[in-house]
């Protein structure tokens, strides 16, 4: 359907309904504050939205032929065009259709839900509120763009006090060159605070920035001195981990995800929990590897995690140097662990201060899962220490106590 001519200075709203009477009624209510365009079903609306860039809000019926309201909403939220993906959507339905429809619509990404026949004040207020929220979101983007431009001149993120992207890329290139030159490992985590924009829209800019600051403090807990943490903007962070192997990196990502899930934030007097998605890049790299490409790869992984609902770890494709061919490769057996009776005997020896028999490394490896469980119950605050112990135990490095170490 051909859209109406846009009234100057009025935001555009698209009313989608297969009933012409409903469209006329909605237009009469909204035309005082909006320039109204009509669509007869979801397919018609999809075509109009792609062509009319001035439209800022969608109000769609739930039940329609060709493409219903949920189908249109799904297309919008999965669109690669940010304008369509983020456009506010009001879903409307008759009272007779309310069989969980509200929950379905909101969980699918609708911004609001109203019942037909419309209450004039409710419909107009809902549309005006979404327009205000959209203007706030655009202001946020403009503000963050200005911050990024300012931060490009320095190395510190002005919101969190962490590295900014420029500093991270510089540090990343240095660490990558070192890893290639010395044949060591390097890992990169991209971390996205799930639904950050929603928190901004619901609670305001001051609330969202305070959440970012508190979230960044949580990320710094247990961080090694050599690790580099940066805030890249829009609730996205990156953590650079020198000498971190794939197993250790995955362990750290798991521990970090759990720590975020279990933490309760107090933001301006409001208690809330959040989740995060994590993209991973890491192992041994070659001379052609570029750090900016690694960072972009992890960001693509975050997009995949977001489409899957967030709160997940998305591993990347490993890039490694080719290993020399071996005619008869040697298989290294996994380090042995002690049996239950050996552990009991070792504990008895400790209790009565008698000589301990058996392989102390194997005994320590056997009880290591107990330490991991203990760390989980303490909010994963000892993850880094456990990672050091794990590397020592499972890389066949001898464990020695002070009484067993011989002088040099």
């Amino acid at each position: 359907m051909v859209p109406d001519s846009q009234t100057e200075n009025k935001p555009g709203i698209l009313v989608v309904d297969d009933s012409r009477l409903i469209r006329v009624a909605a237009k009469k209510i909204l035309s005082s504050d909006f320039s109204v365009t009509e669509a007869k079903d979801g397919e018609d609306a999809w075509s109009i939205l792609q062509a009319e860039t001035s439209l800022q809000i969608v109000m769609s019926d739930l039940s329609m032929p060709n493409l219903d309201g949920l189908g249109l909403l799904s297309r919008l939220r999965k669109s690669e065009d940010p304008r369509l993906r983020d456009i506010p959507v009001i879903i409307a339905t008759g009272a007779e259709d309310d069989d969980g429809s509200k929950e379905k619509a909101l969980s699918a990404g609708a911004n609001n839900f109203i019942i037909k026949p419309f209450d004039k004040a409710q419909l107009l207020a809902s549309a005006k509120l979404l327009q205000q929220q959209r203007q706030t979101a655009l202001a946020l983007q403009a503000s963050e763009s200005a911050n990024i431009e300012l931060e490009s001149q320095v190395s510190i993120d002005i919101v969190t006090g962490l590295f900014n992207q420029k500093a991270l890329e510089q540090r990343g290139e240095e660490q990558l060159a070192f890893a290639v030159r010395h044949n060591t490992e390097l890992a990169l985590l991209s971390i996205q605070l799930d639904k950050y924009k929603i928190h901004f829209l619901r609670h305001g800019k001051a609330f969202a920035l305070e959440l970012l600051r508190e979230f960044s403090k949580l990320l710094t807990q247990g961080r090694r001195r050599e690790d580099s943490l940066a805030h890249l903007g829009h609730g996205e962070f990156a953590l650079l981990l020198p000498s971190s192997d794939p197993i250790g990196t995955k362990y750290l990502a798991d521990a970090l995800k759990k720590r975020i899930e279990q933490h309760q934030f107090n933001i301006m007097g409001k208690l809330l929990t959040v989740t995060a998605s994590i993209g991973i890049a890491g192992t041994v790299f070659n001379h052609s590897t570029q750090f900016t490409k690694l960072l972009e790869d992890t960001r693509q992984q975050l997009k995949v995690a977001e489409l899957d609902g967030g709160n997940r770890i998305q591993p990347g494709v490993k890039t490694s140097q080719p290993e020399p061919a071996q005619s008869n490769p040697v298989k290294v057996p996994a380090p042995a662990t002690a049996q239950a009776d050996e552990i009991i005997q070792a504990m008895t020896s400790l209790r009565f201060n008698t000589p301990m028999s058996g392989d102390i490394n194997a005994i320590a490896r056997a009880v290591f899962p107990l330490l991991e469980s203990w760390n989980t119950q303490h909010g994963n605050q000892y993850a880094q220490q456990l990672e050091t112990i794990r590397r020592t135990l499972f890389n066949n490095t001898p464990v020695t106590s002070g009484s067993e170490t011989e002088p040099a």
Side-chain angles (χ1 to χ4, degrees), residues 86 95 121 123 155 191 323 352:
D86 298 332
L123 175 58
S155 61
I191 307 159
E323 298 181 356
F352 294 102

Side-chain angles (χ1 to χ4, degrees), residues 23 77 110 132 161 170 198 210 303 369 408:
R23 297 199 303 271
R77 294 299 177 248
Q132 291 173 0
Q170 180 178 350
I198 293 179
E210 182 63 21
K303 291 181 180 180

